[in-house]
Amino acid sequence: MMLVLATTTPGEAEIFASLQGEGASIGRPSVFVRLSRCNLACVWCDTAYTWRFAGDNRPHRDGIAFERQANQVMMEPAKVAARIAAFGVPRVVITGGEPLLQAPALAQMIAALPREMHIEVETNGTVAPSPTIDAMIDQYNVSPKLAHSGNPAPLALIPERMTGWAADPRALFKFVIASADDLAEVRALALTYAIVPERLFVMPEGTDSATLRMRSRWLSEAAMQAGWRFTDRLHIHLYGDTRGT
């Protein structure tokens, strides 16, 4: 059984150490593992190279179709775990794409990691974790996709899954916000699923510092008024919109 990973350059898996750039763990040293493939298609996605391959006509604002062979690599789960452990960093962030699409191989990888490692999974919230994986996860960073992502609500906001995440204290919600109009949708979801403010983050959409700072001005005020938590995108300010950072 193999894991399908994204790449930094052709043939080189996107496994790297950096500071967590978003959410509750922002600023923490972490090892990142980016898996390939996604069941959703956000028009503003900054990792479209994990899913928008040649022949995939789902819309994206850049309109780029990536060559699959150059942007995917397969590795044995145990070898991925060994690469992660070699960094000597006690936190791993499993991201994508949508990592939970590869549950069987992902479970093997996590099982091979050092037991003391803190495991975070970043997910779009549409895929239920298998019981095997779920027992090994310390933190879920759940990012449900709002209407401005371009994904239909029946695909992106599945009531059963939203209810399940809201009931799991390990799940922290992170909503990507592009305009003030998006806030009403967040309020409605928070009310419908009883998402407590302590576990609800709002984050500006953007892939450059100027855009993030502009949106952060009004979004941080909105977060204060609603009692939500605000998160920036630290890695964009530090490294720009680049792979492996």
Side-chain angles (χ1 to χ4, degrees):
M1 189 174 298
M2 305 286 275
L3 275 172
V4 184
L5 291 89
T7 63
T8 51
T9 57
E12 181 58 37
E14 193 169 358
I15 304 170
F16 61 96
S18 187
L19 299 178
Q20 169 63 290
E22 303 172 355
S25 303
I26 194 167
R28 289 182 179 272
S30 307
V31 178
F32 287 80
V33 180
R34 188 175 303 282
L35 302 188
S36 191
R37 298 168 46 206
C38 193
N39 58 326
L40 297 183
C42 298
V43 295
W44 38 256
C45 179
D46 60 356
T47 57
Y49 60 90
T50 66
W51 59 269
R52 201 173 192 275
F53 303 118
D56 188 333
N57 296 319
R58 291 178 292 177
H60 188 271
R61 65 185 174 193
D62 294 338
I64 299 172
F66 294 89
E67 201 276 314
R68 185 184 295 271
Q69 188 171 355
N71 290 279
Q72 280 187 343
V73 63
M74 299 180 71
M75 290 182 65
E76 295 176 4
K79 290 186 177 179
V80 177
R83 288 272 299 273
I84 295 167
F87 284 98
V89 177
R91 179 178 298 261
V92 62
V93 179
I94 304 163
T95 187
E98 174 47 58
L100 295 177
L101 292 176
Q102 300 191 51
L106 183 57
Q108 290 185 13
M109 185 206 84
I110 295 172
L113 291 171
R115 291 197 173 193
E116 66 274 14
M117 186 163 280
H118 181 96
I119 312 293
E120 293 186 25
V121 171
E122 300 195 331
T123 175
N124 61 33
T126 64
V127 182
S130 69
T132 302
I133 285 180
D134 193 54
M136 297 186 283
I137 303 304
D138 297 295
Q139 179 177 324
Y140 290 105
N141 303 321
V142 184
S143 184
K145 305 310 178 189
L146 304 177
H148 71 90
S149 72
N151 294 287
L155 294 180
L157 301 169
I158 301 170
E160 179 183 2
R161 292 308 320 133
M162 291 291 290
T163 299
W165 294 123
D168 188 337
R170 298 170 298 169
L172 302 168
F173 288 83
K174 180 180 66 185
F175 293 96
V176 177
I177 306 297
S179 75
D181 293 340
D182 302 327
L183 298 175
E185 193 174 354
V186 175
R187 292 188 193 98
L189 290 168
L191 181 63
T192 298
Y193 297 106
I195 303 171
V196 297
E198 177 63 20
R199 290 168 50 205
L200 194 160
F201 290 78
V202 286
M203 181 182 76
E205 188 276 318
T207 54
D208 63 88
S209 285
T211 299
L212 292 173
R213 290 192 176 108
M214 176 189 68
R215 289 175 173 164
S216 293
R217 294 189 188 102
W218 54 262
L219 183 55
S220 59
E221 287 295 322
M224 286 185 63
Q225 292 174 14
W228 301 331
R229 299 172 71 175
F230 170 86
T231 180
D232 204 347
R233 307 193 73 207
L234 178 62
H235 54 296
I236 297 295
H237 298 302
L238 292 177
Y239 310 113
D241 182 23
T242 55
R243 302 191 195 191
T245 57

